[in-house]
Amino acid sequence: MQKFVSFISSVSRLCPAKISVNQPFGICGRLMSVSSQDILTDDHSKKWHLFSAVCLERLPQISANLNEIENKYLNFMNQLEIENSLLSDHELRFQEDKKIAAKKHDDSDLKEETARKTTTEIEDLWEIEYNSFTPAPRITEADKSNDLKSLERCLDGKLILLVKQKLGTQETWVMPQSRHQPGESMRQTAERILHQYCGEKMKSLFLGNAPCGYHKYKYPRDADVFGAKVFFFKAFHQDGNVSEICPEIIDYSWVTKKELPQYLSPVYLESVNKFIIDF
Amino acid sequence: MFNMAASLGFLTKSLLNLRLSTTCYRWIHMQETPLNIHVTSALWGVPMKKKRKVDPQLAIMREQKKKRKIEKQIRRLEKYAQKLKPIEEIQISNQLQQETKLRQRRNTVISFEESEERVKLVKQWSQYQQKLFGEEMKALALAELAQQKALTELRKESEELYQMAIQMDAKLIPFKHEGPLYTVAISDYKAPDGEYNDISRKWD
């Protein structure tokens, strides 16, 4: 990460530092070799490389925990609801129970057992039935072991897929990205990336043909190309995890929006944060 | 003379053989001499039945009865046509209406401090909600701006790609999403067996 930051600053025109890099940044794996066709050679106005990236989100699976004020207000609303309500059948029954008990207490001769169940008995039965079922836990095994590769983690928040990709010579955490190829639209590039990087099992839903965000970075000065323009496409994760890791990807993890700064460079994070909405 | 005798003989023969002749509807003779005596189907004629006389008043009464019956049916149909299907969820049953007094809850008296606390909480809540709303709007505006920026940048690079990007995505609609729930569904959970009794009434 530190390296990446220093690199970004070194690229700015004010800084004379020069880094010699064999491969221009942003060209990954399969597209390592840069043919003369890719770069529209014009010495006076250098071109940009176009990239598509996928912002793959796993939507929250469970409702978020209530914070303090939400909890307080919920309790208040429940209290109001009870105060404004009429007595229910169950409560009437409870009152009847009390009367019967009082009567029994008065004349001790009337102590024969009746078939009638008291409300407390009924409630006990209900409780047993309720306790016999255990719902799925809200904090999963993946949370406990902090398994960043699992989709089961942080069920109450949004997860975003990040991959460690080789951009130029550096290994950087980014959203899966790849170079645009002639003949396909930017969205088709994005779909291809996901298919290629994450395997067949991953199913997702792309949100429209338009990119949702944009980020650009520059290559070293001696490169033939200015730099890369990355267009982000948003997609919702539907089914399946990253099944087979292809050689372009060194590592992957599912992170929440809050965890993004641990992985991404500040400049990249700024571009990306604009379109990731998570409450 | 012989001829005459012969024809007479034939006649007697045919008369005697009446049973035979009845099977024929018509007697077609093959004789050269004309015969004037015929046995025709007019024998089967039956005298006409006497027409029953109906009392005209009775007939009128009968007709009226029929009319009244139909009218009654129409009235019954109209009566039920106005009756709408009851919506049980929003109708209070008679029993409940009678029991409203019995079901009154004895209201607990709220102290002054408590009521003040409540007012404060409602105000806090509205402020909190306003803050959330503001943040949401801000985030949405930011996202919209980011997209606009992306599109303009794309247009600078290639008009063709831009045109492809602003096309509508027909596959996206209808969009369906479930959740979030309080807990996720347990995978391979077998629900206990039970009988499903549909007790909803039918209204035709």
Side-chain angles (χ1 to χ4, degrees), chain A residues 62-63 67 87 89 138 187, chain B residues 103 128 157 169 181-182:
Chain A
I62 59 171
S63 53
N67 62 21
L87 289 172
D89 283 349
R138 280 169 63 84
R187 184 196 159 151
Chain B
R103 284 173 188 270
Y128 172 69
E157 289 304 314
D169 185 7
L181 310 160
Y182 185 69

Side-chain angles (χ1 to χ4, degrees), chain A:
Chain A
M1 185 97 78
Q2 287 297 320
K3 274 184 198 164
F4 192 84
V5 177
S6 62
F7 164 68
I8 295 276
S9 58
S10 69
V11 168
S12 69
R13 280 159 194 273
L14 297 169
C15 186
K18 210 170 182 182
I19 307 168
S20 62
V21 185
N22 292 336
Q23 295 285 342
F25 267 67
I27 302 168
C28 52
R30 212 158 57 79
L31 306 161
M32 276 299 219
S33 61
V34 182
S35 67
S36 57
Q37 248 190 351
D38 285 339
I39 306 152
L40 300 162
T41 41
D42 187 356
D43 289 317
H44 300 291
S45 62
K46 286 201 272 186
K47 289 283 173 187
W48 292 87
H49 276 159
L50 294 187
F51 278 79
S52 274
V54 189
C55 172
L56 189 66
E57 293 178 343
R58 193 226 56 195
L59 294 176
Q61 302 285 300
I62 59 171
S63 53
N65 287 327
L66 300 181
N67 62 21
E68 197 193 334
I69 180 148
E70 282 167 347
N71 242 328
K72 240 171 151 184
Y73 196 70
L74 179 72
N75 290 337
F76 169 49
M77 281 290 123
N78 288 340
Q79 180 66 27
L80 265 192
E81 181 92 16
I82 291 170
E83 278 170 20
N84 295 335
S85 70
L86 295 175
L87 289 172
S88 69
D89 283 349
H90 187 69
E91 282 167 307
L92 281 187
R93 209 191 143 95
F94 183 63
Q95 285 182 356
E96 226 170 275
D97 272 358
K98 268 190 193 166
K99 271 182 206 164
I100 290 169
K103 218 177 187 181
K104 265 187 191 172
H105 189 74
D106 285 348
D107 39 12
S108 46
D109 316 332
L110 228 154
K111 270 209 169 155
E112 73 219 30
E113 283 295 312
T114 48
R116 185 190 156 93
K117 274 181 193 162
T118 61
T119 27
T120 40
E121 275 169 359
I122 293 172
E123 278 170 12
D124 286 346
L125 283 177
W126 287 346
E127 207 174 336
I128 289 167
E129 196 185 341
Y130 176 75
N131 287 334
S132 69
F133 176 77
T134 42
R138 280 169 63 84
I139 293 167
T140 56
E141 289 296 321
D143 282 321
K144 284 173 196 160
S145 60
N146 200 22
D147 182 5
L148 292 167
K149 288 187 168 55
S150 170
L151 275 160
E152 310 286 286
R153 70 184 293 259
C154 294
L155 288 176
D156 61 347
K158 217 179 233 183
L159 287 184
I160 298 141
L161 178 68
L162 290 186
V163 295
K164 205 176 204 179
Q165 247 178 296
K166 199 163 186 188
L167 301 183
T169 49
Q170 286 192 8
E171 288 172 0
T172 328
W173 280 102
V174 282
M175 289 174 188
Q177 69 173 52
S178 174
R179 182 93 186 274
H180 171 254
Q181 286 184 332
E184 56 182 11
S185 70
M186 294 307 277
R187 184 196 159 151
Q188 279 163 351
T189 313
E191 279 171 347
R192 176 172 56 82
I193 296 164
L194 211 60
H195 205 71
Q196 193 181 321
Y197 288 4
C198 303
E200 305 274 326
K201 281 178 191 163
M202 175 84 84
K203 286 197 179 92
S204 59
L205 179 77
F206 274 78
L207 303 186
N209 292 319
C212 64
Y214 157 79
H215 175 69
K216 81 175 168 191
Y217 55 90
K218 285 173 183 164
Y219 295 160
R221 271 217 192 143
D222 55 350
D224 297 330
V225 187
F226 252 147
K229 285 187 174 180
V230 187
F231 295 92
F232 295 94
F233 285 83
K234 209 173 251 192
F236 287 158
H237 169 265
Q238 282 181 321
D239 198 22
N241 203 341
V242 181
S243 53
E244 62 221 59
I245 290 190
C246 76
E248 279 94 339
I249 288 178
I250 299 143
D251 199 4
Y252 74 94
S253 58
W254 290 94
V255 296
T256 60
K257 193 184 177 183
K258 276 177 197 159
E259 291 163 351
L260 283 178
Q262 298 171 27
Y263 292 85
L264 306 174
S265 74
V267 191
Y268 192 84
L269 183 70
E270 202 195 329
S271 320
V272 155
N273 254 343
K274 281 178 195 162
F275 58 83
I276 299 174
I277 299 170
D278 191 22
F279 292 110

Side-chain angles (χ1 to χ4, degrees), chain B residues 6-172:
Chain B
S7 62
L8 256 175
F10 185 77
L11 183 70
T12 45
K13 208 176 170 186
S14 65
L15 277 174
L16 279 172
N17 208 0
L18 242 177
R19 220 213 240 143
L20 219 166
S21 73
T22 47
T23 52
C24 307
Y25 286 90
R26 245 188 214 178
W27 174 257
I28 300 167
H29 65 85
M30 316 289 272
Q31 300 299 125
E32 286 164 18
T33 48
L35 289 172
N36 292 323
I37 305 166
H38 295 272
V39 181
T40 64
S41 52
L43 283 173
W44 290 321
V46 183
M48 274 167 68
K49 263 189 186 169
K50 202 183 171 189
K51 211 178 177 182
R52 235 176 102 196
K53 254 194 177 174
V54 187
D55 192 2
Q57 262 195 323
L58 204 80
I60 292 166
M61 263 171 68
R62 253 184 218 162
E63 208 141 287
Q64 276 180 343
K65 211 175 172 183
K66 244 187 207 169
K67 210 173 154 189
R68 253 181 274 142
K69 204 176 168 186
I70 292 168
E71 272 174 2
K72 202 178 168 187
Q73 274 178 346
I74 290 170
R75 252 185 286 129
R76 196 187 292 155
L77 279 174
E78 276 176 350
K79 194 176 155 194
Y80 282 108
Q82 284 170 355
K83 221 175 196 177
L84 296 172
K85 178 188 159 192
I87 307 168
E88 278 160 358
E89 299 89 76
I90 58 165
Q91 278 171 351
I92 302 166
S93 72
N94 276 339
Q95 197 204 345
L96 277 182
Q97 272 174 354
Q98 285 162 10
E99 283 176 356
T100 33
K101 269 200 177 160
L102 182 76
R103 284 173 188 270
Q104 282 309 326
R105 197 180 290 278
R106 249 180 281 146
N107 269 335
T108 45
V109 185
I110 305 156
S111 64
F112 175 74
E113 283 81 27
E114 174 72 19
S115 69
E116 282 294 297
E117 197 70 17
R118 285 182 176 190
V119 171
K120 226 166 100 186
L121 184 59
V122 171
K123 279 183 181 171
Q124 268 176 10
W125 177 253
S126 75
Q127 278 166 5
Y128 172 69
Q129 284 297 311
Q130 197 195 9
K131 200 186 108 210
L132 278 192
F133 175 75
E135 279 170 7
E136 221 164 282
M137 287 297 116
K138 226 163 120 185
L140 283 176
L142 214 61
E144 205 184 330
L145 215 70
Q147 182 167 57
Q148 208 50 54
K149 168 103 173 146
L151 280 171
T152 46
E153 285 296 329
L154 188 62
R155 195 169 202 175
K156 271 187 211 163
E157 289 304 314
S158 157
E159 178 69 26
E160 191 194 348
L161 286 178
Y162 171 75
Q163 287 303 332
M164 278 200 259
I166 58 168
Q167 291 309 312
M168 224 174 78
D169 185 7
K171 279 185 199 163
L172 196 58

